[in-house]
Amino acid sequence: MSMPSTIVNRRDLDFLLYELLEVETLCFRDRFREHSRETFGAVLDTALAIATEKFAPHARKADENEPRFEDGNVVMIPEVAEALAAFNEAGFLSAGFDAEHGGMQLPASVLQAALAVFHAANVGTAAYPFLTIANANLLSHFGTPAQRAKYLPHLLSGRFYGTMCLSEPQAGSSLADIVTRAEPQADGTYRLFGQKMWISAGDHELSENIVHLVLAKIPGGPPGVKGISLFLVPKRHMNEDGTVGARNDVALAGLNHKMGYRGTTNCVLNFGEKDGAVGELVGEPHKGLACMFHMMNEARIGVGLGAAMLGYTGYLHALAYARDRAQGRPVLAKDPTRPQVKLVEHPDVRRMLLAQKAYVEGGLALCLYAAKLVDEANTAEDDRKRRGAKLLLEVLTPIVKAWPSQWCLEANNLAIQVHGGYGYTREYPVERFYRDNRLNPIHEGTNGIQALDLLGRKVGMDDGAAIQRLAMAIDLTAREARACESAELRDCGQKLTDAFANVMEVVRNTLCATDKGHAELALANAHVFLEMTGHVVVAWIWLQQALVAVRRLKDATDGDRDFYQGKLQAASYFFRWELPKTAHWYQLMNDMDNTCLEMQDAWF
């Protein structure tokens, strides 16, 4: 009998896709008619095999031998290129794209489930193709026909890789303050001058070329974010015959050395040290941020998924360790000659494992639910359903990014603790998972920025249509639970209704305070609102899983009975241990607590 994977629980993936999200129903839609559960399963099997055989084995080596900057070039261990070659050859770069581009036209929900295993196996190596997929998606939406023809085939084959270049040394998240400029040229191109900072995958020798998508300002444009444009700037020029030519004026100024994701180059790039880096405008002048947000929103869901999976693999490693490691005896065992018991026999260890299970399985389910919303927004049968899915995705995106990056990081913290002293050493991978995941609260906009986006923009957008769409979806699940045979799930349904009513009360009070000119006070504790709403949303996701589990238990075989009982126990944990935390957060928000706002610099 083979050992269970410590990358992902495949049974859980199947449960989420086929039982919770019912992705097989997508196969009735024109775009996905060539697919079936069998093709979806083959994709997942292939992903798990490549992740297990090519990605996971060098994760530690890549962490201990991070890329080096030598003679202007990047040097890294060869296993990274070997793993990416297998990834590319299997067609994962183009899997979500149209058949005319060589894609499989996979549903986003299935593709993200497949990509999830690469996050867990080796997040540093996975970053290169994942950024490329997002880059290609943006070009497919906003690029000109000529730009698409020139670059898309190479991005989707892995011949080229892609990046997004936003931040600058003096302007991290404050994009209004970027100073990189793009000078128009007579031939319709632009010359870019400036420096970009924190550019993941910004330079390497893994591909023939790197396609940078760069935010810059055209001189004479509006100030602030309204003057930002988007440019395609290749590392190397393209010849007319499709071959790669001389290097563009894009120089690697140095590598940043982060605590995690050590296998991913993180770069300082200088554009225009000589005559200017040649670039092409993508989209309309001064509309670059709107284009880039297409890539950023995709990347935010990807960050949430990566955070969930780093927590997930940490949980599976901790579970395997707890089942194997014998230490101590039950509290009532007074005889020191009795054999020691496995760690999993200790109640406090089971507490830590159950908390991890609740966080990571809840986080993964949330991310895949968001991916299913992408499918609905793109392919639902009518405009009303597509609009509803888009609205729901809009309001959930900050939560999808931020909640797993906070709470699945906590799962990694608990995984270290389950390992005891060994967990704090580099001989065991759980400390690396923690370091990798600790970056995700800042990736693609800090969690504080996500909080301001949620409370300051998303809940009020379209006269509250997005938050009302979420209210309708949560109410539907709560109603189903309150009519359930299970007394506990009926209770959970009521608790969910009450908790979301608190969310809506805070929304109304915030909008009212903002209208009265008290926006600073109303938004001062936005991160508390994000935590509160995130916990309520994940409780909703867990209740959906529990309702499926209750129905399936009736006819389940022994192995599946354990699986479904585990789902129900994790749901119980979340409603008993986690959801009650929202009452305190609600009180802080409802009181518009000003403790942090009124703190003065001199008092620290």
Side-chain angles (χ1 to χ4, degrees):
M1 183 177 177
S2 61
M3 293 291 291
S5 172
T6 51
I7 292 174
V8 70
N9 179 351
R10 176 59 192 275
R11 177 67 183 88
D12 190 30
L13 269 188
D14 288 346
F15 169 82
L16 295 176
L17 289 175
Y18 305 126
E19 299 177 58
L20 179 69
L21 300 176
E22 298 179 330
V23 297
E24 285 176 274
T25 60
L26 294 172
C27 299
F28 294 107
R29 298 180 184 176
D30 288 342
R31 180 170 179 80
F32 309 125
R33 285 195 188 278
E34 298 300 315
H35 289 293
S36 64
R37 181 162 178 167
E38 287 70 29
T39 63
F40 295 160
V43 168
L44 295 175
D45 288 342
T46 301
L48 190 53
I50 295 173
T52 302
E53 297 165 12
K54 297 292 185 180
F55 278 66
H58 73 272
R60 177 176 174 177
K61 184 177 179 181
D63 182 71
E64 294 176 347
N65 299 274
E66 55 189 314
R68 305 187 309 278
F69 183 24
E70 295 182 1
D71 300 324
N73 294 316
V74 174
V75 179
M76 64 178 67
I77 62 172
E79 290 89 342
V80 175
E82 294 167 13
L84 294 179
F87 182 96
N88 299 342
E89 187 177 342
F92 283 110
L93 275 170
S94 61
F97 287 81
D98 295 345
E100 66 180 273
H101 295 306
M104 300 181 206
Q105 295 188 183
L106 272 181
S109 44
V110 177
L111 177 59
Q112 290 304 322
L115 297 182
V117 302
F118 295 100
H119 282 292
N122 188 331
V123 74
T125 293
Y128 298 100
F130 290 0
L131 282 164
T132 301
I133 292 169
N135 181 295
N137 264 330
L138 187 150
L139 275 183
S140 70
H141 280 81
F142 299 105
T144 64
Q147 289 169 342
R148 294 198 297 268
K150 189 175 181 180
Y151 292 102
L152 264 186
H154 307 303
L155 288 166
L156 297 181
S157 69
R159 185 186 173 207
F160 297 173
Y161 278 167
T163 74
M164 53 193 296
C165 301
L166 289 75
S167 298
E168 298 179 5
Q170 82 294 338
S173 300
S174 180
L175 295 177
D177 298 311
I178 66 170
V179 295
T180 297
R181 72 183 193 279
E183 300 280 357
Q185 304 298 301
D187 62 358
T189 64
Y190 291 78
R191 297 278 178 146
L192 274 71
F193 301 86
Q195 187 176 78
K196 292 293 180 178
M197 185 74 162
W198 312 117
I199 310 306
S200 295
D203 206 340
H204 51 74
E205 302 301 321
L206 296 168
S207 57
E208 287 186 47
N209 209 351
I210 301 175
V211 178
H212 300 293
L213 290 175
V214 186
L215 292 183
K217 294 183 177 180
I218 301 171
V225 295
K226 293 182 179 179
I228 294 176
S229 300
L230 179 64
F231 299 89
L232 186 160
V233 184
K235 174 182 174 179
R236 296 184 179 277
H237 296 293
M238 291 282 289
N239 298 320
E240 291 295 328
D241 62 0
T243 59
V244 174
R247 181 148 185 164
N248 201 354
D249 192 4
V250 182
L252 174 62
L255 296 176
N256 301 305
H257 301 284
K258 292 189 173 182
M259 66 185 291
Y261 277 70
R262 289 184 177 179
T264 307
T265 57
N266 191 273
C267 306
V268 183
L269 297 178
N270 288 343
F271 292 82
E273 287 186 347
K274 300 173 184 175
D275 300 324
V278 178
E280 302 175 36
L281 181 68
V282 178
E284 299 178 34
H286 318 309
K287 303 290 186 182
L289 207 54
C291 296
M292 185 60 88
F293 265 110
H294 185 276
M295 185 174 182
M296 286 177 67
N297 284 332
E298 181 179 343
R300 283 171 176 170
I301 294 174
V303 168
L305 184 64
M309 292 310 297
L310 283 166
Y312 206 127
T313 188
Y315 159 61
L316 293 179
H317 277 82
L319 179 60
Y321 184 84
R323 285 172 167 169
D324 181 66
R325 168 82 171 179
Q327 183 170 310
R329 295 166 183 82
V331 291
L332 298 180
K334 306 300 183 183
D335 183 359
T337 65
R338 284 185 56 179
Q340 296 189 81
V341 298
K342 303 296 186 185
L343 281 174
V344 74
E345 296 299 318
H346 296 291
D348 194 54
V349 172
R350 290 201 297 274
R351 173 191 64 81
M352 291 188 284
L353 291 171
L354 185 54
Q356 291 174 69
K357 180 180 175 72
Y359 296 149
V360 305
E361 291 184 11
L364 176 58
L366 171 65
C367 293
L368 294 184
Y369 181 87
K372 177 75 180 302
L373 288 176
V374 174
D375 289 323
E376 295 297 327
N378 291 335
T379 67
E381 294 85 351
D382 58 64
D383 288 341
R384 181 183 59 82
K385 290 181 179 178
R386 288 194 289 271
R387 172 174 163 75
K390 287 178 182 176
L391 283 170
L392 192 48
L393 185 61
E394 283 278 4
V395 78
L396 285 178
T397 294
I399 298 169
V400 172
K401 186 274 174 185
W403 194 91
S405 68
Q406 177 174 352
W407 293 98
C408 295
L409 175 65
E410 175 58 21
N412 289 123
N413 180 37
L414 292 170
I416 292 173
Q417 194 69 15
V418 168
H419 279 73
Y422 291 111
Y424 295 82
T425 69
R426 278 175 283 179
E427 281 65 39
Y428 285 77
V430 286
E431 68 86 31
R432 167 165 50 83
F433 300 148
Y434 182 91
R435 285 189 288 105
D436 285 339
N437 217 355
R438 186 59 186 83
L439 273 64
N440 284 319
I442 198 170
H443 278 159
E444 306 310 331
T446 66
N447 285 5
I449 288 173
Q450 306 303 320
L452 289 170
D453 179 44
L454 178 64
L455 185 57
R457 192 167 74 89
K458 295 295 177 61
V459 300
M461 67 182 293
D462 288 0
D463 294 324
I467 193 71
Q468 288 296 337
R469 183 68 186 80
L470 177 60
M472 290 167 56
I474 288 177
D475 183 60
L476 190 65
T477 302
R479 284 173 182 269
E480 183 182 352
R482 292 200 300 270
C484 181
E485 293 179 7
S486 164
E488 180 161 10
L489 292 194
R490 291 199 300 271
D491 183 55
C492 288
Q494 188 58 53
K495 287 178 177 176
L496 180 62
T497 296
D498 295 342
F500 194 73
N502 288 344
V503 170
M504 293 303 289
E505 184 177 350
V506 170
V507 169
R508 289 190 293 271
N509 290 344
T510 299
L511 294 176
C512 182
T514 301
D515 290 342
K516 292 180 178 179
H518 304 301
E520 185 178 27
L521 176 60
L523 297 175
N525 298 321
H527 75 283
V528 178
F529 179 76
L530 177 64
E531 286 197 88
M532 177 176 70
T533 310
H535 256 50
V536 173
V537 164
V538 175
W540 166 53
I541 294 289
W542 264 116
L543 187 53
Q544 292 181 58
Q545 294 187 73
L547 287 166
V548 174
V550 162
R551 291 195 300 269
R552 300 289 178 138
L553 256 177
K554 296 174 182 177
D555 303 312
T557 58
D558 289 346
D560 269 354
R561 287 191 67 83
D562 288 339
F563 175 82
Y564 293 129
Q565 288 287 4
K567 285 291 183 185
L568 290 171
Q569 199 72 4
S572 294
Y573 174 88
F574 204 89
F575 272 85
R576 295 178 186 181
W577 289 64
E578 295 295 330
L579 191 61
K581 295 175 182 177
T582 63
H584 172 60
W585 297 328
Y586 160 72
Q587 200 64 55
L588 286 173
M589 291 301 298
N590 214 37
D591 293 346
M592 291 202 179
D593 184 84
N594 61 5
T595 305
C596 300
L597 181 64
E598 291 192 345
M599 182 63 182
Q600 302 295 309
D601 183 4
W603 300 348
F604 285 106

